[in-house]
Amino acid sequence: AQSVTQLDSHVSVSEGTPVLLRCNYSSSYSPSLFWYVQHPNKGLQLLLKYTSAATLVKGINGFEAEFKKSETSFHLTKPSAHMSDAAEYFCVVSPGGYNKLIFGAGTRLAVHP
Amino acid sequence: EAQVTQNPRYLITVTGKKLTVTCSQNMNHEYMSWYRQDPGLGLRQIYYSMNVEVTDKGDVPEGYKVSRKEKRNFPLILESPSPNQTSLYFCASSFSLAGVNTQYFGPGTRLTVL
C-alpha cells in the first residue's frame, strides 16, 4: 500500500534560519513525489516535484528536496526562512503509472521574527 | 489566465438540503478530481474523472456524486448533506495521469452543514 508520513505536524523556526520539513513515503512502484504549500485561506500551490530525474529537486521560493530511495524519504529544505514561508506544507506521493495522489497529513510551518 | 474556479467559496447549509459545488477549468485538462481537507488528515480524494463521461470513486466517495458532461466542468453533488461532510473542498485538474502531471487546484469551498 502507498502512504506518506510527515514526521512533524508543527515546525517553528526563526526568520533567517534553515527550514527542514520531513517526509517519508511508502510505495510499491517507482513513485512521483511532490511538495505543495497552502497559505492561509488559499488553495494549494506546487512547490516542486520529483519524477525519476535528478534526485535533488529545486522548486520555487528557494525550496528544494532530495529524493533518497534507500531511506524512502523526500525531505523539504530551505537555507533561510522568510516570514512569507509561514504556511502548511503537504508531501504527496503518486505511485508510478497510477492516477492517484496520496497526501500526507501536513506540516504547519511558523516563522518567528 | 489558466485557472480552476470553484463556486461557492463559502456555504452554510442544513442537513438534508441538496447542494452542488461547481468546478470549472480553462486549461483543456482531461483529468479532474475532488478532494476534501480535514485537520490532521491532509487531503483525501472523493471522486475523479479521466475524461468526459468517465468518473470513478476515490477514497471517500460515500455521500457524494459527480458528473462530467463537459470537459471543463466537474460539479460535486451532495444529495443529502450531513454534518460529517462539513469540510474544506478542493477541485483539481491536470492534463492526464495525475501521477506525472502537475495538478492545479482551485481556491477551495468551505462547507458547513448544520
Side-chain angles (χ1 to χ4, degrees):
Chain A
Q2 283 64 238
S3 65
V4 178
T5 303
Q6 292 185 240
L7 298 168
D8 307 290
S9 57
H10 292 83
V11 170
S12 181
V13 301
S14 297
E15 191 175 21
T17 64
V19 176
L20 170 63
L21 305 183
R22 298 181 295 165
C23 172
N24 286 350
Y25 70 92
S26 170
S27 176
S28 304
Y29 307 95
S30 179
S32 297
L33 291 156
F34 307 79
W35 276 98
Y36 280 86
V37 61
Q38 184 181 29
H39 287 93
N41 300 313
K42 295 288 180 64
L44 283 86
Q45 180 184 19
L46 179 69
L47 272 180
L48 50 81
K49 68 177 179 180
Y50 166 79
T51 55
S52 75
T55 57
L56 182 62
V57 182
K58 293 189 184 300
I60 62 172
N61 300 333
F63 285 95
E64 62 181 38
E66 186 171 8
F67 173 70
K68 291 187 176 181
K69 186 175 182 178
S70 61
E71 299 176 10
T72 60
S73 69
F74 191 57
H75 301 334
L76 182 70
T77 60
K78 182 173 180 178
S80 176
H82 192 271
M83 296 295 288
S84 61
D85 294 328
E88 187 153 24
Y89 293 79
F90 293 96
C91 182
V92 183
V93 65
S94 181
Y98 186 55
N99 198 37
K100 188 178 181 67
L101 295 185
I102 299 167
F103 283 76
T107 298
R108 187 166 296 278
L109 175 65
V111 182
H112 302 287
Chain B
E1 179 189 355
Q3 60 182 351
V4 178
T5 57
Q6 296 178 226
N7 282 291
R9 294 289 312 281
Y10 301 90
L11 179 59
I12 300 174
T13 189
V14 295
T15 299
K17 185 176 181 181
K18 182 180 178 179
L19 66 92
T20 299
V21 183
T22 65
C23 172
S24 183
Q25 49 92 6
N26 63 0
M27 295 170 278
N28 201 35
H29 286 169
E30 294 178 350
Y31 178 89
M32 298 185 74
S33 181
W34 275 103
Y35 297 86
R36 61 177 289 172
Q37 182 181 13
D38 301 292
L41 296 177
L43 277 74
R44 294 176 293 167
Q45 191 179 56
I46 303 170
Y47 268 95
Y48 66 93
S49 170
M50 296 292 288
N51 212 325
V52 175
E53 302 291 3
V54 181
T55 64
D56 205 351
K57 297 177 180 178
D59 295 318
V60 288
E62 294 77 20
Y64 304 95
K65 284 176 58 176
V66 293
S67 68
R68 188 90 182 273
K69 292 182 169 53
E70 304 166 283
K71 197 171 187 179
R72 64 182 291 128
N73 296 323
F74 189 46
L76 179 70
I77 303 157
L78 285 73
E79 298 248 338
S80 183
S82 62
N84 64 12
Q85 292 178 298
T86 292
S87 188
L88 180 58
Y89 291 86
F90 287 100
C91 180
S93 72
S94 66
F95 275 109
S96 56
L97 282 176
V100 297
N101 288 287
T102 301
Q103 287 204 37
Y104 295 83
F105 285 83
T109 295
R110 187 168 293 280
L111 172 66
T112 301
V113 183
L114 302 175

